[in-house]
Amino acid sequence: DAGITQSPRHKVTETGTPVTLRCHQTENHRYMYWYRQDPGHGLRLIHYSYGVKDTDKGEVSDGYSVSRSKTEDFLLTLESATSSQTSVYFCAISENRDRAYGYTFGSGTRLTVV
Amino acid sequence: SQQGEEDPQALSIQEGENATMNCSYKTSINNLQWYRQNSGRGLVHLILIRSNEREKHSGRLRVTLDTSKKSSSLLITASRAADTASYFCATEYAGNNRKLIWGLGTSLAVNP
């Protein structure tokens, strides 16, 4: 999607290994979010950021950490991947806290933990 | 669960017909948003309707909000095969954290 890219698009990793997913935006939006999408659960918020070095936990943050050292990059790290973290991960951005224009989503990263 | 709930879970119609899907929620909201997701892709924002609004239009899309019933509907008129996708509602709950809660979606198939 224009203005926001996720990498990698697909990844297979082994249980117990660390994994980092990257979200890059060119919109200079303040707010960035990491979600996971699983059948039967819908989208669930993992972590979000409201500025450089300002992050907070979402509803399913256990086993994940994030970092935002620049406005344009928001990294999601699975510290020690488990099979339960097999999912599709989406990054989203929004211009302001009011979210008057909704979120812009990336195309997702499909992560498989074997 | 605080999730918004869409119904139906799945909908199959013919091209040219109208498609209506509904979203219900549980507590007071600031706004309600509708998104579309094509298979294997990210979500695309369609419409945001605020709690003090009752109806919004965007092209072939019409969204209504009934805060007394805590429900919203998305109407797609004159559907096309390209409208085939999953549609999600997301509600921003009123309160300090303004949390966004997502429903499980309605899967729409528009048959040529």
Side-chain angles (χ1 to χ4, degrees):
Chain A
D1 290 292
I4 178 171
T5 55
Q6 291 184 233
S7 59
R9 289 297 311 275
H10 303 272
K11 186 169 182 66
V12 179
T13 192
E14 293 187 349
T15 298
T17 61
V19 177
T20 295
L21 309 183
R22 181 179 184 241
C23 178
H24 178 78
Q25 61 143 330
T26 58
E27 304 296 321
N28 200 35
H29 285 350
R30 179 180 176 189
Y31 293 89
M32 300 185 75
Y33 311 84
W34 276 108
Y35 282 93
R36 59 179 289 175
Q37 186 177 38
D38 305 287
H41 289 279
L43 279 169
R44 292 182 290 175
L45 181 65
I46 305 171
H47 282 279
Y48 67 99
S49 170
Y50 46 96
V52 173
K53 297 192 188 324
D54 292 323
T55 64
D56 207 349
K57 296 178 180 180
E59 60 185 304
V60 289
S61 59
D62 287 349
Y64 301 94
S65 62
V66 290
S67 66
R68 191 168 179 202
S69 58
K70 298 185 290 185
T71 298
E72 56 266 35
D73 290 324
F74 193 32
L75 304 180
L76 176 71
T77 297
L78 287 67
E79 294 145 4
S80 177
T82 67
S83 58
S84 64
Q85 294 175 313
T86 292
S87 185
V88 181
Y89 292 85
F90 287 101
C91 177
I93 59 175
S94 67
E95 186 169 7
N96 55 49
R97 189 160 185 254
D98 285 337
R99 295 192 275 255
Y101 304 104
Y103 289 2
T104 300
F105 279 83
S107 297
T109 294
R110 184 173 295 276
L111 177 69
T112 303
V113 183
V114 298
Chain B
S1 167
Q2 287 185 298
Q3 286 176 329
E5 296 179 0
E6 290 101 332
D7 80 271
Q9 290 186 347
L11 181 61
S12 181
I13 60 175
Q14 297 299 122
E15 237 177 351
E17 294 181 339
N18 295 341
T20 299
M21 52 205 86
N22 305 294
C23 173
S24 60
Y25 56 93
K26 297 182 180 179
T27 64
S28 297
I29 62 173
N30 292 324
N31 64 65
L32 185 146
Q33 306 172 32
W34 285 93
Y35 289 79
R36 182 187 74 236
Q37 184 179 33
N38 292 92
S39 180
R41 305 295 300 274
L43 285 81
V44 174
H45 178 253
L46 297 176
I47 288 183
L48 180 151
I49 186 166
R50 297 187 183 278
S51 59
N52 61 352
E53 297 175 312
R54 291 297 167 258
E55 187 171 315
K56 287 189 84 169
H57 297 258
S58 177
R60 294 182 295 112
L61 307 181
R62 173 178 170 252
V63 168
T64 60
L65 178 65
D66 187 335
T67 52
S68 66
K69 296 181 179 178
K70 293 186 171 56
S71 68
S72 173
S73 67
L74 170 66
L75 168 67
I76 304 173
T77 60
S79 63
R80 306 166 181 168
D83 294 326
T84 295
S86 292
Y87 291 82
F88 295 87
C89 72
T91 47
E92 180 179 288
Y93 280 86
N96 291 334
N97 64 10
R98 303 173 73 168
K99 190 176 181 181
L100 202 63
I101 300 294
W102 295 81
L104 298 180
T106 292
S107 177
L108 173 65
V110 181
N111 305 303

